Amino acid sequence: MSATTAIVTGKPGRARGGMTRKRGVDWLLLALVVVGALLVIAPFYLVLVNSFKSPVDYANSGPLALPQELDLTGIVKFWERVNFPQKVWNSVFISGIVAVLAVLISMLNAFAIGIGRVRGRTWIVLLFLLANLLPQEALLYPLYYMFKSVGLYDNVWSVIIVFTVIQAAFGTYLLSSVYGTFPKEVLEAASLDGANRWQILWRVVFPISRPTLSVLLIFFFIWTWNEFLIPLTFLASNDNQTVPVAISVLQGDRLMDVTTTSASALLGIIPTLIFFLIFQRTLTRGITAGAVK
Amino acid sequence: MTRDTRAGRTVLPPEQPSIPQRSGGTGAYWLYLLPGFVLLLVVVLIPLVWNAYLTFTRWKGVRAPEFIGLGNWQKLFSDEDFWTSFTNSVWMILAMVVVPTVVGLIVAALLFDVIGRKFGGRVGSFLRATYYLPQILPIAVAGIVIGWIVRPGDDGALNQILGWFGIPAVDWLGQMPSAVIVLMVVMVWVQIGYPVVVFMAALQRVDPELYEAAELDGANWFQRFSAITMSIIRPEIFVVTLTCTIAALKVFGPVYIITRGGPAGATLVPAYYAYQEFFTKRNIGYGATIATVLTIVVVIVSIVFIRVQNSIERKERAGL
């Protein structure tokens, strides 16, 4: 959900003192938060448990019990039916290219707005921000028609183009304020050394802002990975679909038994879990480091 | 807004670019904006205007659109489904903004003040990560997981748990109000991690000395929380409520996957309703009208939020 996550870089918080005496009420509050956390991950438990059951096992023991023996038929069935590696590749390809292009465009825009201070920059930032806030439905049919007429319908590049723009809109908004506070002395020094704007952008601004850019890159990748409406609409054929679309399309398939549905959810969760484990720190640093400047 | 109401604002002289000018002036920076702006024009601005134009037409997607003036707009007012869809947006706001913000605030405060301090930061960040997990799950996958848990019959996971307490199986998605309630629970589940993470980060800004001073003055935990914490983390509360409200208005995926607007249109939301008009019923003009209304609502909500925030900040600064 791209709209629900804001990132701004900021200062890390100060560490609190060591552990203090625990009272009964503290244990009670801990229990409360742990119960909440268990409720949050309960669906993940159900998915994990049922993905490894045979349909017969599921019918006999129900959805809550542990599997009687490990059965991979649900997973294999889903893997083969949707050609899962291909869907993962489509998602990686689309999200990867979007992330790189969107970071690049955000950087160019923000360089002009934050460092170049072009006229009317407040309005330009608002215009880009609007592109990110808009419901995608308000662009959907014209885009659908445009892609059909230029032959990009049912082509991964249609989705790449759209999300490059939408993600770059957010990136421009964010980076413009970051670049607005870029140390002036550094830029002046580079300029005195004879660097032109293009060189300053690539040799000074880009390396210094690399941490922020990498947070943006990861967010753009994950947001694009999770997108649903536009890939659903523009990627009609099986060969072009992304992981979320492939899973939801198969959902309507009557032949799918419960354990296969569960397996499809499991396989949909795994890439996400992998990102989460790899990028946990960057993610939390990104969102946490103060959602507000 | 008339010009007079804005008169109080001081106009700053245009700033100079951060890099000293030798040639070309600021105009040369427009070159850097060019690629981004051309893409924005083609992918966002032109389609947006085109979509607004389509609201005045009847169009099936083939042949040319037929201009019908305000016909679609008139139809909206007597269209019960349209009003249902916006009523459901209110439920989505309750589930995606009100509940997550309140619960998120409580959980973040507990994790930070109690668990982080008494049981160690590791326990705190582990629990925080757990709450955050559903946030990075593709909404399509989240929808399928839930849709499958609430499936009707005795073998659905939820129905089986209810069975332990002797409650008969419910067809959760086949009737109202349970279908809307399921959607709401899903959205709470998906959203809860976002405020928890943002608020926990915000809490780090609170100076512990303020608490100690308040404690000495005899303020209890709740008084300290409402007087100190809430005022310091107010910017984060604004950002969370604004972004979540916009997300709630735009909700599409869960409805498409879990209920398809059913039973009988009872769980329609504006985004799904527009989609349905575009691609199922092929009433493109009418779909465009719904999408345009949704856009207008999103823009108005954003402007109101930002104005309220600015006026509060201004008052606060004046008070200092």
Side-chain angles (χ1 to χ4, degrees):
Chain A
M1 312 211 80
S2 64
T4 61
T5 321
I7 15 170
V8 171
T9 44
K11 320 165 207 71
R14 152 183 359 96
R16 290 263 177 147
M19 281 175 245
T20 40
R21 229 162 3 98
K22 305 176 191 68
R23 289 172 299 166
V25 64
D26 296 327
W27 287 102
L28 192 74
L29 292 172
L30 177 71
L32 203 72
V33 179
V34 169
V35 168
L38 287 177
L39 282 176
V40 170
I41 54 164
F44 294 94
Y45 165 80
L46 285 172
V47 165
L48 188 66
V49 163
N50 291 297
S51 300
F52 296 99
K53 282 180 192 168
S54 66
V56 181
D57 191 357
Y58 184 90
N60 291 337
S61 60
L64 302 167
L66 289 167
Q68 289 180 329
E69 53 187 280
L70 283 187
D71 182 285
L72 297 177
T73 45
I75 293 171
V76 172
K77 231 161 125 184
F78 174 76
W79 186 285
E80 286 172 351
R81 178 115 34 110
V82 305
N83 191 358
F84 195 67
Q86 183 197 33
K87 302 301 181 289
V88 172
W89 168 246
N90 289 341
S91 280
V92 169
F93 183 77
I94 293 173
S95 314
I97 292 187
V98 166
V100 172
L101 291 179
V103 166
L104 193 73
I105 289 175
S106 309
M107 197 176 72
L108 293 176
N109 287 343
F111 183 65
I113 297 167
I115 289 172
R117 309 272 160 95
V118 292
R119 258 161 203 262
R121 58 185 176 280
T122 318
W123 292 105
I124 299 172
V125 170
L126 279 178
L127 195 65
F128 278 103
L129 189 61
L130 177 75
N132 197 260
L133 294 181
L134 282 180
Q136 291 168 2
E137 282 77 5
L139 316 172
L140 196 62
Y141 209 87
L143 284 175
Y144 173 79
Y145 196 82
M146 278 158 70
F147 286 130
K148 277 217 153 162
S149 44
V150 298
L152 274 180
Y153 176 71
D154 199 13
N155 181 321
V156 290
W157 284 96
S158 62
V159 176
I160 291 174
I161 294 169
V162 172
F163 285 119
T164 296
V165 180
I166 291 178
Q167 313 293 28
F170 179 81
T172 301
Y173 162 71
L174 180 90
L175 268 186
S176 296
S177 70
V178 173
Y179 284 0
T181 59
F182 203 90
K184 225 173 170 168
E185 304 75 30
V186 179
L187 298 170
E188 278 166 359
S191 177
L192 285 177
D193 287 344
N196 63 29
R197 290 195 192 90
W198 184 250
Q199 287 166 331
I200 290 177
L201 172 60
W202 287 103
R203 304 233 180 109
V204 180
V205 177
F206 173 71
I208 292 181
S209 58
R210 203 178 277 162
T212 312
L213 296 177
S214 64
V215 171
L216 275 183
L217 192 82
I218 292 163
F219 270 96
F220 290 166
F221 185 90
I222 293 176
W223 290 343
T224 309
W225 184 286
N226 289 348
E227 276 293 341
F228 184 62
L229 172 69
I230 283 180
L232 174 80
T233 318
F234 295 165
L235 302 177
S237 72
N238 201 18
D239 289 347
N240 294 327
Q241 281 161 1
T242 60
V243 172
V245 175
I247 290 174
S248 79
V249 166
L250 202 68
Q251 182 70 357
D253 188 339
R254 290 225 187 98
L255 295 169
M256 278 253 284
D257 52 65
V258 188
T259 52
T260 315
T261 314
S262 179
S264 77
L266 180 72
L267 289 178
I269 291 168
I270 286 172
T272 303
L273 270 181
I274 295 173
F275 303 145
F276 192 64
L277 294 175
I278 300 176
F279 298 124
Q280 228 258 60
R281 274 168 178 245
T282 328
L283 279 172
T284 34
R285 187 160 27 98
I287 349 151
T288 62
V292 199
K293 189 176 52 164
Chain B
M1 263 322 115
T2 58
R3 221 153 243 284
D4 305 312
T5 53
R6 303 168 147 234
R9 202 176 284 180
T10 20
V11 181
L12 297 168
E15 283 172 73
Q16 289 302 308
S18 301
I19 302 174
Q21 301 300 302
R22 270 174 299 158
S23 59
T26 44
Y29 283 103
W30 284 99
L31 278 177
Y32 291 86
L33 273 177
L34 202 62
F37 196 76
V38 168
L39 278 169
L40 185 76
L41 191 71
V42 174
V43 173
V44 177
L45 302 178
I46 292 173
L48 190 64
V49 173
W50 188 347
N51 187 74
Y53 165 74
L54 289 177
T55 67
F56 304 110
T57 65
R58 183 184 292 133
W59 192 26
K60 290 283 171 193
V62 282
R63 286 198 295 270
E66 175 196 347
F67 192 83
I68 56 162
L70 291 172
N72 288 319
W73 291 90
Q74 281 163 347
K75 186 176 161 194
L76 276 182
F77 288 97
S78 52
D79 179 2
E80 263 181 49
D81 285 343
F82 172 76
W83 295 106
T84 309
S85 74
F86 270 95
T87 316
N88 286 334
S89 288
V90 176
W91 297 119
M92 289 297 120
I93 288 172
L94 187 65
M96 292 173 70
V97 185
V98 181
V99 176
T101 307
V102 173
V103 176
L105 207 51
I106 296 169
V107 171
L110 285 178
L111 283 176
F112 193 82
D113 276 344
V114 181
I115 287 139
R117 268 196 280 178
K118 309 244 168 154
F119 298 89
R122 272 169 181 269
V123 184
S125 23
F126 181 77
L127 286 167
R128 181 185 66 188
T130 312
Y131 279 95
Y132 192 66
L133 201 53
Q135 267 280 303
I136 54 159
L137 199 61
I139 195 68
V141 177
I144 281 165
V145 173
I146 302 292
W148 160 74
I149 288 172
V150 297
R151 58 195 246 112
D154 295 328
D155 66 344
L158 184 58
N159 279 338
Q160 192 163 26
I161 293 171
L162 291 180
W164 297 344
F165 303 98
I167 301 168
V170 177
D171 181 7
W172 292 101
L173 300 177
Q175 58 188 16
M176 289 295 283
S178 62
V180 168
I181 293 171
V182 168
L183 276 181
M184 289 173 72
V185 172
V186 177
M187 295 328 294
V188 171
W189 176 59
V190 167
Q191 288 291 93
I192 195 73
Y194 171 59
V196 168
V197 168
V198 172
F199 292 155
M200 269 185 86
L203 288 172
Q204 297 184 333
R205 278 210 319 265
V206 184
D207 186 351
E209 280 170 23
L210 280 176
Y211 280 126
E212 281 153 24
E215 214 165 355
L216 286 176
D217 289 343
N220 63 31
W221 184 84
F222 183 75
Q223 286 168 327
R224 274 176 278 152
F225 187 79
S226 55
I228 302 170
T229 318
M230 289 290 275
S231 71
I232 292 176
I233 70 170
R234 187 155 41 199
E236 277 83 358
I237 297 177
F238 259 112
V239 168
V240 166
T241 45
L242 174 62
T243 50
C244 292
T245 305
I246 292 168
L249 289 168
K250 298 200 295 191
V251 128
F252 171 81
V255 174
Y256 177 88
I257 291 155
I258 301 177
T259 67
R260 300 247 166 179
T267 57
L268 275 183
V269 289
Y272 182 71
Y273 192 19
Y275 175 87
Q276 229 183 4
E277 293 292 322
F278 286 140
F279 297 106
T280 320
K281 300 184 196 155
R282 299 232 143 239
N283 294 324
I284 287 113
Y286 195 54
T289 313
I290 299 164
T292 304
V293 174
L294 181 58
T295 310
I296 294 169
V297 172
V298 166
V299 169
I300 291 176
V301 166
S302 315
I303 292 173
V304 168
F305 255 95
I306 292 168
R307 284 193 162 250
V308 169
Q309 183 183 15
N310 285 344
S311 80
I312 290 178
E313 269 178 15
R314 225 173 297 139
K315 265 182 216 150
E316 200 137 89
R317 237 175 282 139
L320 282 175

